[in-house]
Amino acid sequence: MIPASFEYAVARDVADAIQLLGSSGGEGKVLAGGQSLIPLMKFRLAQPGLLVDINRVKGLSDIRENGELRIGALVREADLDMNAIVRERYPILVDTTRVIADPLVRNMATIGGNLAHADPANDHPATMLALRASVVARGPKGERVIPIDEFFVDTFTTVLAPDEILTEIRIPKRPAGGGGAYLKLERKVGDFAIAGVAAMVVMDEKGRIAAASIGVTNAGPTAIRARKAEDILRGQSPDDKTIAAAAAAAAGESKPWSDLRGPAEYKLDVIRVLTQRAIRKAVARATGGK
Amino acid sequence: MAVEIGGIGQSVKRKEDARFIRGKGKYVDDVKLPGMLYMDIARSPLAHARIRKIDTSKALAIPGVVAVITGKDLVPLNLHWMPTLMSDKQMVLPTDTVLYQAQEVAAVVATERYIAADGVDAIEVDYEPLPVVVDPIKALQPGATLVREDREQKDNHIWHWEVGDRAGTDRAFADADVVVKQDLYIPRIHVSSIETCGIVASFDKVEGKLTVWMTTQAPHAIRTVIALVAGHLGLAEHKIRVISPDIGGGFGGKVPVYPGYVLAIGASVLTGVPVKWIEDRAENIQADSFARDYHISAELASKKDGTMQALRVKTIADHGAFDAAANPSKYPAGLFHIITGSYPFEKSFVEVDGAYTNKPPGGIAYRCSFRVTEAAFTIERLVDVLALKLGRDPAELRMQNFIPPTAFPYTSSLGWEYDSGDYGRALRLAMDTIGYADLRKEQAEKRKRGELMGIGISSFTEIVGAGPSKNFDILGIKMFDSAEIRVHPTGKVMVRLGVKSQGQGHETTFGQIVAEELGIPVADIAVEEGDTDTAPYGLGTYASRSTPVAGGATAIAARKIREKAKLIAAHLLEANPDDIEWKDYKFQVKGVPSKSKTMQEVAFAAYTNHPQGMEAGLEAVDYYDPPNLTYPFGSYICVVDLDRGTGEVKIRRFVAVDDCGTIINPMIVEGQIHGGLTMGLAPALYEQINYDEQGNIQGGTFMDYLLPTAMETPNWETAKTTTPSPHHPIGAKGVGESATVGAPAAIANAVVDALAHLGVRHIDIPITPWKVQKILKENGVAE
Amino acid sequence: MAVATAPTTSRGQRTHKIHVTVNGVPHDVEVEARTLLVHFLRENLNMTGTHIGCDTTNCGACTVLLNGRAVKSCTVFAVQADQATVATVEGLEKDGKLHPIQEGFHQEHGLQCGFCTAGMMMTAVAFLATNPKPTELQIREAISGNLCRCTGYVNIVKSIDHAARVMRETAEGKA
Ligand SMILES: Cc1cc2nc3c(=O)[nH]c(=O)nc-3n(C[C@H](O)[C@H](O)[C@H](O)COP(=O)(O)OP(=O)(O)OC[C@H]3O[C@@H](n4cnc5c(N)ncnc54)[C@H](O)[C@@H]3O)c2cc1C
Ligand code: FES
Ligand code: FES
């Protein structure tokens, strides 16, 4: 499996990348970790005319927390996993990154690429939905901040223009009483999800769920938010009945399809089960447990 | 002493490791010759279609593309069809119709690998789609789409094969107290050795000699096949050299001849330049020989007390578009009639019908002797179905029925003569090792709490070491194997074999056999295989035949040398040969240990001071025709826990007790068992190749064809019993495949056992989480 | 080794001159942009110890270290390795002395056909650099991107554990 021929250019900085993409007549593609793009190119399912390699662009690989958590688009999954801030305060991100592909792929794969690729089977989208993240994009007209809810358009399509670069992901600071978890079921380690569920909750002092957000992987053309499930949880105490109702609602909002990862009907059950387990885990984390 | 020699029974570290751990192995893709061209293959996107037109002009216009070969080009050479190993024939390239998706349609030869790929991309083919038949049961119905228009017979039936006493078996069933019946589908799978297949063909126009480096488990047979297929082009067998270099796993997938090999050879003969073809993984899974794909209906009759009496099995074998299996000629369904397993059925009858479908050809093994896994899986599942029907413990029911150790050699009702066995001992050891009784208690308690755990047993009997020449041949060539041993003057040894290692460690184990027989340290023994110019003729390595057959040849050739060496020793010791004995790896005058000669001393004398009238030198060849097959066996016990929410199966423990007779190298045997178990786990829970109604493959890459990783694979626990084969020169039986044969039933039985209280009797493999979850849901026990 | 990050590659072209240091040896080679790192190593540099086992980034037979990190070299373009260091199986043995991971695989029978072995060892080398005292489960996780069809992994896990032990002892000896 050999990619078709293409032109290649290393971007010096973001502006350079934007310029290169702009002058490619729509033929250009950003190369980040390459772990989605190169496999597609090897099967000649993608045949970009120009690859703009952003791997040497400085300033896109930082993880900082000031007011909010800011993750550079080029941060590799392996670095996300090892980051002290993330490990300490955002275990849902650790949950997510650790179930993406395998350790070798994670050494290359970037979080920005994971979102920009807009594969509903990718794991970060659901987690970012649950985290109420936003992404920062820069293009010829400047920078814009896109709420994650507005980012995914369709499978493999985002609101990014062909000459826009995703530069950063911003995640609201974990609130007091907040906790989250991502659970994924896969056919084997390294595989994409049969289904995955990300749950974030904020607990109030009375032990009730003040806020909840839930994202689901592989449940539609893009990762989805299970808003009805969120509504059911809001203001309730996390008892079995409430959680079960929310989980049922999450499945109800999901539209998985039958494929080699199982029949749609099965996936609905998996989404329901994972939602229950993810909420429980999120609540446990929010209330100080593991 | 023994440790130094590194003889039989020692865990000698492997010699071959030295090059592999340094990245210095030489696999086919590592062969690079001056001026070498690269070949790549265009394949059909459709499962059944007429080719209206192949336009190669764009491909030929690419700088660097040297040639494009289509079926029409092969017709004048009469190379567009080739024989399979099963008296069928197979297209090399189609001239008008493609019969399965991923079938070879054209080959591009170019100066570089990348350019060849561009050439393939630029070939344009106009197809007229034809109706497709993918289900062999439908294929055998009247009026089904005809797959093979080239045959005189105008239906999709390939052959009918039966064995056993049909009438007697029917009577036994009619009279039986208890009958259980189970339909099983054993799906199509693929060996997927991590190295794919490939070839470098180099034709020397001046010498008229063809040299090929090829991923083959059977280099000699391949040489003969090339001579038969391409003899009319002037390729004679003495001008063909097949080299099977380091092989990155075989498991049966590197026995057949694939069209790509033939095309590369053809391209080299035509251009006079070396040509390399290395298939990629998608081609490997999608077009190379598959395994299994058996639709089985099995019935077992017993007495009320559980005594098994009769077995009746009907099977439809899907062979795809060509019967390209690699079974011994007489056995189109391989050794499937080992299906009576470890039990003394008085009556049994087995029938198999082969069918053509619009799927890739094959029917080869998957790390198992010919169709033995299909047999072992069926009988071991069926025994559990009977246990459930009778409300009996599956271990106890097996113990009750095993062929007793005193009954060996035992002739089965389907005609096999089992050499030796002690099945009860193996099962008892497995039960003790895993703590069977405690596990049953735990299971009962867990059931009360609604938790699902299961315990599965498989007490399989294998049949390997094909085989005795009276019954076994491939393309008429008898299934002997060979060894040639030369002891050099300084006491160093060269051993050459007709078999070919693909990771089994032959350089070490065969050295150990010779070390044991000749008393020469294994470090001083070089073992060479895989070069037809130097190695003696043999049928190759598959079906666990190396140790049983070539191992026999090696031991006997070494013994021939020892016989001659004894005469030389007598001469040196100035004693009567009758007074010389072989003791402590030395020749000594009986009763006088001080008067002795080592093999090294004798070897030197064989070239410098041999007795008058005797031929100089110290070497021997043996072509070993085994008197019988060997019958390794074992008992496996698997414990699983099920997730009531997701249906996932988690293997908690797996104990494998194997008995492969005399063990040459315990370390290597254990490694073979670990690997075999993992290739038993794979089809039980993960691997399967399916086709949709249009014949599109489902799962044609490693994204969807799910080889287990280290995370899915449990920490295998192994133990052994040793029941030597009475007819084998060193008592060895072969082990490379037992675990693949035995493991799937243990796993499937464990999962069914976890659900048995819900009335579950069977789940077809692979047991995916959604199959389990569906059962849980239907029974109202899902989370 | 310090790695300059400034690209020397020309822009927007199909072929590029790259400077790559493989096992300590610098190479300046002109490659097509689409040349995969694994083919660069095998075909341009004739270093055939790194293997190819799939097309879908699943098997890990092609694993090498790129600037010290284990990556699947079938899913990296050679041009991406411009100015970088690459370590392959051929560089493990130093001055005639095997690397502990090589010893581990030999001693514990961690290989059969040897086809996955280079990738397994390179993955393990990078892994042990970050986790010198791993548990069995951590080793299994670490090699979950490398497929082996022969060994059933049990002995590979033992091999890596063996190497970890030897490396810890050597480190303690030096300390
Ligand atoms: C075997 C295997 C298994 C995998 N399993 C999983 C899994 O289980 N879960 C999962 O989530 N993912 C999985 N992946 C995908 C992996 O995580 C990818 O790396 C990820 O989807 C894309 O990240 P990347 O950095 O490699 O992007 P690339 O492959 O470089 O790019 C992907 C796409 O995004 C665009 N892009 C990348 N970065 C930017 C940017 N900053 N701005 C604008 N556009 C950009 C590219 O142009 C391209 O179209 C798997 C991949 C492999 C090979
Ligand atoms: S060849 Fe690179 S992962 Fe398989
Ligand atoms: S040793 Fe053969 S694939 Fe691992």
Side-chain angles (χ1 to χ4, degrees), chain A residues 44 188-189 266 269 277, chain B residues 118 646 707 712 777 783:
Chain A
R44 301 199 177 196
K188 69 166 194 172
V189 168
Y266 168 69
D269 278 312
R277 293 179 185 179
Chain B
D118 291 344
T646 62
L707 272 60
E712 287 72 45
K777 216 172 148 184
E783 175 181 324

Side-chain angles (χ1 to χ4, degrees), chain B residues 343-628:
Chain B
Y343 315 97
F345 289 98
E346 274 161 31
K347 294 287 173 198
S348 22
F349 178 71
V350 173
E351 59 186 324
V352 185
D353 286 278
Y356 289 123
T357 55
N358 289 116
K359 294 193 274 190
I364 51 143
Y366 170 104
R367 198 176 186 148
C368 73
S369 193
F370 320 99
R371 302 294 189 185
V372 175
T373 308
E374 288 89 326
F377 183 78
T378 303
I379 185 64
E380 286 304 301
R381 262 304 15 258
L382 208 53
V383 168
D384 266 33
V385 173
L386 177 67
L388 286 168
K389 170 111 179 184
L390 298 172
R392 295 278 303 276
D393 180 276
E396 194 201 325
L397 184 66
R398 283 177 171 81
M399 287 292 193
Q400 174 189 340
N401 280 284
F402 282 148
I403 299 164
T406 48
F408 293 90
Y410 168 83
T411 304
S412 80
S413 47
L414 296 178
W416 298 118
E417 191 189 300
Y418 293 21
D419 56 351
S420 63
D422 189 344
Y423 303 149
R425 181 158 65 132
L427 178 54
R428 257 190 314 277
L429 179 58
M431 291 168 76
D432 292 347
T433 308
I434 207 157
Y436 186 75
D438 289 346
L439 284 169
R440 284 284 173 215
K441 268 186 226 140
E442 180 191 338
Q443 182 186 35
E445 283 157 22
K446 287 219 158 120
R447 258 188 202 162
K448 281 187 213 140
R449 296 201 298 268
E451 292 171 38
L452 300 172
M453 79 173 258
I455 306 154
I457 300 173
S458 167
S459 294
F460 62 94
T461 291
E462 248 229 302
I463 174 167
V464 305
S469 62
K470 60 179 186 294
N471 285 325
F472 287 87
D473 70 85
I474 285 185
L475 285 177
I477 304 165
K478 302 294 187 187
M479 294 184 73
F480 57 82
D481 226 295
S482 61
E484 177 197 281
I485 305 177
R486 295 182 185 171
V487 186
H488 302 319
T490 54
K492 314 292 177 192
V493 184
M494 170 61 76
V495 184
R496 291 198 167 106
L497 301 165
V499 289
K500 173 63 205 165
S501 182
Q502 311 120 40
Q504 296 91 338
H506 288 181
E507 288 165 50
T508 310
T509 45
F510 285 94
Q512 287 181 259
I513 297 175
V514 175
E516 180 70 31
E517 297 290 342
L518 298 186
I520 292 174
V522 68
D524 292 347
I525 300 168
V527 176
E528 267 190 19
E529 303 176 328
D531 183 342
T532 57
D533 264 12
T534 54
Y537 203 100
L539 271 269
T541 295
Y542 41 88
S544 286
R545 63 187 298 279
S546 292
T547 300
V549 191
T554 306
I556 289 178
R559 285 171 198 175
K560 287 180 185 171
I561 285 178
R562 215 167 66 198
E563 279 312 302
K564 178 171 179 182
K566 184 176 177 179
L567 300 179
I568 301 172
H571 163 72
L572 295 178
L573 292 165
E574 295 175 342
N576 186 320
D578 292 341
D579 292 335
I580 302 288
E581 62 177 353
W582 176 250
K583 216 177 156 202
D584 298 335
Y585 300 115
K586 272 191 290 218
F587 292 107
Q588 48 177 264
V589 178
K590 278 182 193 155
V592 196
S594 61
K595 288 194 76 177
S596 69
K597 290 285 168 197
T598 63
M599 189 60 83
Q600 287 87 342
E601 290 168 310
V602 169
F604 193 68
Y607 296 86
T608 59
N609 177 23
H610 58 289
Q612 285 298 306
M614 180 190 271
E615 254 181 63
L618 197 56
E619 56 184 74
V621 183
D622 189 67
Y623 281 70
Y624 181 70
D625 182 0
N628 189 5

Side-chain angles (χ1 to χ4, degrees), chain B residues 85-101:
Chain B
L85 299 177
M86 298 311 300
S87 355
D88 196 354
K89 56 177 189 167
Q90 174 175 3
M91 286 182 210
V92 175
L93 285 179
T95 50
D96 53 8
T97 315
V98 287
L99 300 184
Y100 55 93
Q101 191 182 53

Side-chain angles (χ1 to χ4, degrees), chain A residues 36-150:
Chain A
S36 287
L37 187 53
I38 298 175
L40 285 174
M41 290 172 69
K42 289 209 278 184
F43 279 86
R44 301 199 177 196
L45 296 171
Q47 301 200 11
L50 171 73
L51 274 196
V52 176
D53 184 347
I54 60 168
N55 283 282
R56 290 167 207 254
V57 172
K58 295 220 173 71
L60 296 184
S61 304
D62 301 328
I63 300 177
R64 286 168 297 151
E65 198 187 32
N66 52 352
E68 58 193 348
L69 180 70
R70 295 184 169 201
I71 306 173
L74 271 185
V75 167
R76 318 271 166 190
E77 302 294 348
D79 295 322
L80 189 63
D81 179 9
M82 298 300 281
N83 183 270
I85 303 167
V86 170
R87 284 209 165 179
E88 168 81 23
R89 283 199 284 284
Y90 301 87
I92 185 173
L93 282 175
V94 178
D95 290 349
T96 310
T97 190
R98 284 205 183 153
V99 292
I100 288 176
D102 60 59
L104 306 173
V105 170
R106 295 202 290 271
N107 274 336
M108 286 299 289
T110 68
I111 185 167
N114 197 291
L115 297 175
H117 194 51
D119 186 341
N122 274 3
D123 295 295
H124 278 304
T127 295
M128 292 304 157
L129 286 168
L131 283 168
R132 323 293 313 117
S134 44
V135 300
V136 182
R138 217 184 300 160
K141 288 187 225 126
E143 192 172 278
R144 57 176 177 146
V145 180
I146 308 161
I148 194 73
D149 283 338
E150 292 162 24

